Amino acid sequence: MERLRSSAKKKKKSVLRKVIDFFVKSEYHAYLVGGYVRDSTLGRESIDIDVVVEGDAIAAARKLNEKIKGKIVAYAEFGTASISVDNLRVDLASARTEKYKSPAHLPHVFPSTIVEDLNRRDFTINAIAMSISRENFGEIFDPFEGLADIKRKLIRILHRNSFIDDPTRIFRALRYKNRFGFKLEEDTERLMREAVKEGMVKRLSGQRILNELNLIFAEDSYGETVNDLSYYGIFAIKRNELRLMPTSNSHAFYYLLSKLPRNSLPLSKKEKEIVDDFRNIDEMMVKLNKATKKSMLYTLLSPVAEEVTEAITLIKPELQEKIKTFNALKRINPFITGKDLRKYGFKPDKQYAKILRKIFVLQIDKKLASRREAIEHLKTLRKK
Ligand code: ATP
């Protein structure tokens, strides 16, 4: 493992060296920015290399890629390009300024210089740039004193209106705070509370909120961030409602969604089903506690999403045995399948799953001892 990590580190260093080498020898004014500068100051590994170019970043990316020979994707409408090489990503963007026409909506973008570009960023710790151009290589641009905030372990916004312009920064602030174990700077915290009070989160589209939640749950510190979402009233959830949050990112994600108002987020049909099942998880665990017979376990758990049964074992380890028994039941070959239902004249509809479940329960309880008996039983059902 250690060796793997150190080889990944070496690859990253070599990609970084090639990127720097290219820009130092070129005419471009280019800068390392954002996560990379922040993380190297913190002594942490950073996944991506972010470069801002004063000028056409896509053209620069194409020339750079002739040297590093990765896979390049350009996004003309944003003036950005990404190069994937050795499992790493180099993101190149043209320096830009943004104007917010209306709060909580995406901004208009204009070309600009590095200082203006830093000015549009979310927090001081992300608004630091290091030149990789020939004439001022290594020069640090830190107009908002981000380096000092890294030392003081503070998350600080750049402008009073920051959370109003872009309320996704409310989620981002808490994510960084908990990822690094930092604090919200006093004014930042106050302005964040004000933005929440003014209902700015509700002005975001469901998709933008969902993106932020996905980012939060991709981090080890998701539990703390979820507590903060409750503490700051970003979602109307009492802390007490979160007491049963499962200890795994993916299950906790659905658990949190189940505490939010229905239909507030654009989920797929499958995800909606999972979230609905999570809504009933407390009740389900109470029933499961009481269930003694195998057939009861099956009746209770078979309609429920697998993610929920998995989560139950995380929330209440004492129910693990019952879930194990249920999983073993699922592996038993049923006497009757959908094919039989068709053969014996049942019209394919929603009832299919119900009928199959009922017959399987009789099989589990040994009330039907063979396939022949099960078919006889099926015929009686059709007559009714
Ligand atoms: P990480 O990837 O480690 O979470 P990052 O800093 O690379 O951190 P990204 O989400 O990739 O984060 O964003 C890259 C940079 O873009 C950030 O460092 C920040 O400066 C800027 N940025 C991203 N989202 C916003 C936003 N909503 N408002 C202002 N600036 C932003």
Side-chain angles (χ1 to χ4, degrees):
M1 188 68 190
E2 203 41 52
R3 200 175 319 147
L4 266 179
R5 216 175 285 150
S6 82
S7 115
K9 246 185 198 171
K10 269 188 205 141
K11 276 184 186 163
K12 174 153 192 174
K13 271 209 171 131
S14 112
V15 172
L16 182 64
R17 210 169 291 140
K18 285 179 191 161
V19 171
I20 291 176
D21 190 57
F22 167 81
F23 281 106
V24 166
K25 288 181 182 154
S26 79
E27 294 300 317
Y28 287 103
H29 286 176
Y31 306 82
L32 288 175
V33 289
Y36 185 78
V37 183
R38 180 197 67 214
D39 291 344
S40 51
T41 311
L42 278 165
R44 290 170 71 108
E45 276 282 311
S46 180
I47 303 157
D48 299 328
I49 300 172
D50 283 308
V51 177
V52 165
V53 182
E54 287 178 343
D56 185 346
I58 295 179
R62 294 219 162 95
K63 283 190 197 145
L64 168 64
N65 201 36
E66 286 169 17
K67 301 270 182 245
I68 62 177
K69 306 208 181 319
K71 196 167 166 283
I72 182 167
V73 185
Y75 304 93
E77 71 263 48
F78 299 112
T80 62
S82 283
I83 302 175
S84 306
V85 56
D86 289 342
N87 282 332
L88 294 167
R89 222 177 69 196
V90 186
D91 287 327
L92 295 98
S94 306
R96 63 195 205 206
T97 39
E98 294 175 347
K99 293 229 161 41
Y100 289 86
K101 232 167 112 191
S102 56
H105 289 87
L106 293 172
H108 284 275
V109 176
F110 305 92
S112 74
T113 61
I114 186 66
V115 173
E116 285 170 318
D117 183 284
L118 295 177
N119 202 37
R120 75 172 169 89
R121 288 174 185 263
D122 45 6
F123 309 110
T124 59
I125 61 165
N126 287 339
I128 310 166
M130 187 190 106
S131 165
I132 48 173
S133 315
R134 190 181 321 156
E135 66 260 40
N136 59 347
F137 182 85
E139 189 178 343
I140 299 284
F141 291 79
D142 181 17
F144 301 99
E145 303 187 357
L147 289 173
D149 282 343
I150 291 177
K151 273 209 185 105
R152 284 182 291 204
K153 299 180 180 291
L154 287 179
I155 305 296
R156 184 198 304 267
I157 45 171
L158 312 188
H159 316 285
R160 293 184 54 78
N161 256 355
S162 189
F163 290 123
I164 307 282
D165 286 342
D166 181 354
T168 62
R169 292 173 187 159
I170 295 170
F171 296 90
R172 292 179 65 85
L174 299 176
R175 184 158 60 85
Y176 286 124
K177 162 188 172 281
N178 295 318
R179 183 199 292 175
F180 300 129
F182 282 16
K183 276 193 171 146
L184 298 180
E185 176 272 333
E186 208 176 300
D187 281 334
T188 299
E189 185 176 26
R190 183 175 50 77
L191 290 163
M192 190 184 90
R193 281 182 191 278
E194 281 176 25
V196 172
K197 225 169 152 190
E198 283 164 32
M200 293 316 296
V201 174
K202 291 194 191 79
R203 295 175 75 159
L204 286 171
S205 69
Q207 188 58 57
R208 291 188 81 195
I209 295 180
L210 196 57
N211 291 346
E212 292 306 319
L213 291 179
N214 274 314
L215 292 171
I216 287 170
F217 281 94
E219 309 233 354
D220 292 339
S221 54
Y222 70 88
E224 282 134 295
T225 307
V226 169
N227 281 336
D228 281 344
L229 292 174
S230 156
Y231 173 74
Y232 286 107
I234 293 158
F235 295 135
I237 304 174
K238 295 205 181 75
R239 197 129 172 204
N240 180 32
E241 286 180 77
L242 298 170
R243 72 190 196 290
L244 293 179
M245 193 156 71
T247 51
S248 112
N249 305 44
S250 58
H251 299 99
F253 173 70
Y254 291 119
Y255 182 83
L256 176 75
L257 296 194
S258 76
K259 305 289 174 196
L260 303 181
R262 268 170 223 271
N263 299 327
S264 59
L265 301 173
L267 301 174
S268 68
K269 188 165 167 262
K270 172 84 188 124
E271 284 173 323
K272 272 190 192 139
E273 283 169 8
I274 298 173
V275 173
D276 279 341
D277 287 343
F278 265 97
R279 268 196 193 98
N280 303 322
I281 195 166
D282 293 22
E283 204 184 316
M284 171 64 68
M285 287 190 295
V286 173
K287 283 188 186 158
L288 202 55
N289 223 350
K290 290 185 191 148
T292 44
K293 276 177 33 187
K294 284 183 178 174
S295 54
M296 277 160 95
L297 288 184
Y298 191 81
T299 310
L300 211 57
L301 293 173
S302 56
V304 167
E306 210 173 323
E307 287 77 358
V308 173
T309 52
E310 288 164 2
I312 291 175
T313 63
L314 297 170
I315 300 170
K316 287 218 185 292
E318 63 271 28
L319 291 174
Q320 230 161 34
E321 274 309 309
K322 288 189 174 172
I323 302 280
K324 254 194 207 161
T325 308
F326 166 69
N327 286 335
L329 292 175
K330 279 199 300 187
R331 285 194 291 270
I332 295 176
N333 279 336
F335 290 150
I336 297 291
T337 65
K339 232 179 173 178
D340 298 312
L341 294 194
R342 265 194 303 278
K343 188 169 160 197
Y344 289 95
F346 288 82
K347 283 206 190 82
D349 63 11
K350 272 193 245 155
Q351 293 302 312
Y352 257 45
K354 228 179 181 175
I355 298 171
L356 289 175
R357 215 177 287 141
K358 264 193 182 157
I359 297 181
F360 189 58
V361 163
L362 293 173
Q363 177 181 344
I364 294 172
D365 279 348
K366 303 209 168 22
K367 289 189 180 137
L368 295 172
S370 64
R371 175 169 159 78
R372 198 170 43 78
E373 277 186 36
I375 287 175
E376 286 313 310
H377 181 75
L378 190 63
K379 286 180 186 164
T380 65
L381 287 183
R382 197 188 43 190
K383 282 185 202 135
K384 279 179 196 164

